[in-house]
Amino acid sequence: MWSHLERGSSPVDWCESNYSISPVIAEFVNTISNVLFFLFPPVLIHLFQEYARVVNPAINVLWVLLMLVGLSSAYFHATLSLVGQLLDELAILWVFMVAFAMFFPKRYFPNFLGGNRRVLALYSSVFSVVSTGFLVMHPAANAFALMTLALPAIGFLYKELNRVKCARVYRLGLRCVAVCFLAMFCWIMDRLFCDAWLSIDFPYMHGVWHVLIFIASYTALVLFAYFNVSDERPEQKPQLKYWPRNDFELGVPYVTIKHPYKKYRDLAI
């Protein structure tokens, strides 16, 4: 069992040369490129204070899970241990499943859920536990399996963007999808065409993937948080804003609530 903690025990090894920059960090660039996973979530927790208070405090679980993804990824790339790989992949899986349970539109709920999001969360938890077992048993195939989860997420994002009426939200969605595909391109380039990148002395496409996939991931979560309020609490009128300047659309997006205490019954008065 302890052998799984040893350096190099993972069957996965990315394109970056091992210990070429630091004698104690296996893949130096792939390790430090996770820095955004530590810097941005605390900012997002602060920006989403109103959302957490008025709509759903579980939004902060997602920001904490993103930090865990960054921590696990940094540990994996620093050691290339099997335990590090599994922690990295399991953290990604749980981000997907928590986001699914929180944001999956109720209009797509199957009848047996009865429109109850808590029941969906229960089924999602069971699926996550079972999937965790499969990830542990087949670590070599995990990366490709997790990559496939991004496809339905992008599909749902596309469907929601076709329904949205706010041009600002639509533009952010287009940027999110573009960055996501660019990130996937970098991941594939590093995984399948390593020799080509080594020939030009730039085996760092996986590090670029880390930066791009964080931007795409947190942006997608912001968008789904907006869609969730628009669908289930339209009377509260969610608004997409940017920090530090609201007129600069390349800043950090977040969601505020224009009418945080308005309920459906208020509309009937």
Side-chain angles (χ1 to χ4, degrees):
M1 180 180 67
W2 297 109
S3 63
H4 299 325
L5 289 167
E6 294 179 358
R7 290 175 174 268
S9 57
S10 169
V12 178
D13 191 2
W14 298 94
C15 191
E16 182 181 357
S17 300
N18 298 338
Y19 303 103
S20 61
I21 297 178
S22 169
V24 295
I25 299 177
E27 296 175 347
F28 185 81
V29 173
N30 286 349
T31 300
I32 65 170
S33 58
N34 288 287
V35 64
L36 294 185
F37 287 89
F38 300 98
L39 296 180
F40 275 67
V43 175
L44 291 164
I45 290 173
H46 173 72
L47 294 175
F48 273 80
Q49 287 183 88
E50 182 184 50
Y51 189 99
R53 184 180 70 255
V54 175
V55 181
N56 191 347
I59 187 71
N60 289 329
V61 174
L62 288 170
W63 309 136
V64 172
L65 282 174
L66 284 182
M67 295 181 70
L68 289 177
V69 170
L71 178 63
S72 302
S73 179
Y75 171 63
F76 166 53
H77 289 289
T79 63
L80 293 180
S81 68
L82 179 59
V83 168
Q85 177 198 337
L86 294 175
L87 289 174
D88 182 16
E89 293 163 347
L90 291 176
I92 295 171
L93 170 67
W94 282 89
V95 168
F96 269 108
M97 298 315 300
V98 171
F100 176 79
M102 285 181 59
F103 299 140
F104 187 66
K106 281 189 175 181
R107 62 182 177 276
Y108 298 126
F109 277 22
N111 293 333
F112 68 87
L113 292 179
N116 192 325
R117 190 168 294 279
R118 291 187 178 181
V119 177
L120 174 65
L122 176 61
Y123 279 103
S124 298
S125 299
V126 172
F127 177 83
S128 299
V129 170
V130 173
S131 298
T132 296
F134 280 110
L135 289 180
V136 171
M137 289 188 293
H138 303 285
N142 290 349
F144 290 94
L146 287 172
M147 187 65 69
T148 61
L149 292 177
L151 299 179
I154 294 173
F156 276 114
L157 178 58
Y158 176 78
K159 289 175 71 71
E160 294 301 305
L161 288 176
N162 284 334
R163 301 177 69 249
V164 75
K165 297 179 180 179
C166 177
R168 168 176 273 207
V169 174
Y170 187 78
R171 290 193 298 270
L172 179 63
L174 293 183
R175 292 196 296 271
C176 177
V177 172
V179 173
C180 185
F181 278 118
L182 183 59
M184 294 170 70
F185 172 80
C186 292
W187 188 90
I188 293 171
M189 288 296 103
D190 186 275
R191 195 72 181 141
L192 302 182
F193 302 99
C194 179
D195 290 341
W197 294 104
L198 286 172
S199 68
I200 60 174
D201 200 27
F202 191 81
Y204 306 122
M205 292 300 285
H206 194 75
V208 178
W209 145 267
H210 284 159
V211 174
L212 295 177
I213 200 58
F214 173 79
I215 295 173
S217 297
Y218 94 83
T219 301
L221 294 176
V222 170
L223 287 165
F224 280 117
Y226 176 93
F227 298 145
N228 181 255
V229 181
S230 296
D231 285 346
E232 300 185 14
R233 303 186 182 192
E235 73 282 359
Q236 293 184 336
K237 296 190 180 300
Q239 295 181 315
L240 178 66
K241 293 187 177 181
Y242 290 89
W243 179 86
R245 288 178 47 185
N246 192 38
D247 60 348
F248 180 63
E249 293 197 4
L250 296 181
V252 180
Y254 65 103
V255 178
T256 62
I257 309 300
K258 186 176 183 180
H259 302 301
Y261 302 110
K262 181 173 287 190
K263 305 294 183 183
Y264 279 117
R265 62 176 179 270
D266 298 331
L267 301 179
I269 297 176

